[in-house]
Amino acid sequence: MNKPRFKSFGALGAHILFILLFFLLIYPERPITDFPVHLVHIVFMAGYIFMIALPPSRWNGTRYIVALVAIVSVSALIRSFYPDYPDHRILWPMLYVLAVGEKKWRQITGILAIVTLFIIFFMMIVDGFSYGALLAAILLYVTLHYQSLLREAHRTNERQFEQLSAAYSELQQYSIQAMGYAALTERTRLARDIHDGLGHQLTSLIIQLQALRLMIPQDPIAAAHSVDELLKVARKGMEEIRLAVKEWSEDETGLGPIALKGLVSQTEANSLLRIDYQEAGPLSEWSVESSVILYRILQEALTNILKHAEANHVSILLKEEEEHVKLTIVDDGQFSGENALNFGFGLSGMMERCKSAGGSLTFSSNAPTGLRIEAVIPLNM
């Protein structure tokens, strides 16, 4: 929580340390009795430290101009009393202050830096010109300026990464909610199948039993034949119960498989596409990450098929092998393999999801036409 604050304190300490070391290096070689010169040197150093320690929110274009004018004016005033002090190096920390300024003042600080360099140049002409010193001043500003740009870019990247992480978390939550809705849809379908199938069988059985009670005294032989029909109805109802129980027990293996079946049911209900969904062998419990990835891959694949494939039938096979789960999606659409597959945002996103999980995603043609998609991701992520 306090990490950005510590970073800010660290950067401020580095700035202040630079000012202190710089003024130690250019400390005037004068007798200790020449106290005003030493005092002015310390005042300049304190002034630059104050400027560098001032919060960025306190700076604006006008204050940068005032600071430069004040430094130059005080330097000119002092030189009227001490012709050889201060020299051009007294303006180098001003280049430092301008170089580390905030991004929004970069235009004005850039102009003031050029002005400062011209003033340094004229001071050198008076004191004795040095190409090396002028070049060093220019390099100081350029280096610090680009370091400031890099720091700003790094901060921008951190902000964008935080925003991306937040968006990813929201997408994960949305995917989990969508999977939950798909799972609820599938369970609702099963409940409806039980009601429509088994409920119908039981209703028919009750009616026939009521008729049998009236039939036994009047026609025992016909009643005996009716018993056989009633047994058939009962056995059929028992088969439907076993099937429903089997599907419910498979649903309890995890949110992933039931969500995939729910997505298939939703797609079939809202389109003319016929989908054959199969699970080969038993399925284990999946992690939320694996479930989300497979759900999103199947969702994107079905969306692409509906939009672009012009397919009538889709086969989906889900199975686990060697600590991996494999999802195969095959359609009978118009893709023939003669032309390269157009990897748009959707297909690229599917590949990125598999790659991020340490899995793989392959695309191939399905004879005679259609597309075959195979996604393989590890169970333990």
Side-chain angles (χ1 to χ4, degrees), residues 221-246:
I221 297 175
H225 289 297
S226 296
V227 170
D228 294 333
E229 294 297 324
L230 293 175
L231 287 173
K232 290 181 181 179
V233 173
R235 289 190 180 100
K236 188 173 182 180
M238 182 59 69
E239 288 178 2
E240 292 189 5
I241 290 176
R242 288 170 178 166
L243 179 62
V245 170
K246 180 177 181 295

Side-chain angles (χ1 to χ4, degrees), residues 48-65:
Y48 279 120
I49 291 177
F50 172 78
M51 284 192 286
I52 208 71
L54 199 65
S57 58
R58 301 289 298 276
W59 284 101
N60 55 40
T62 302
R63 290 186 177 180
Y64 277 116
I65 295 173

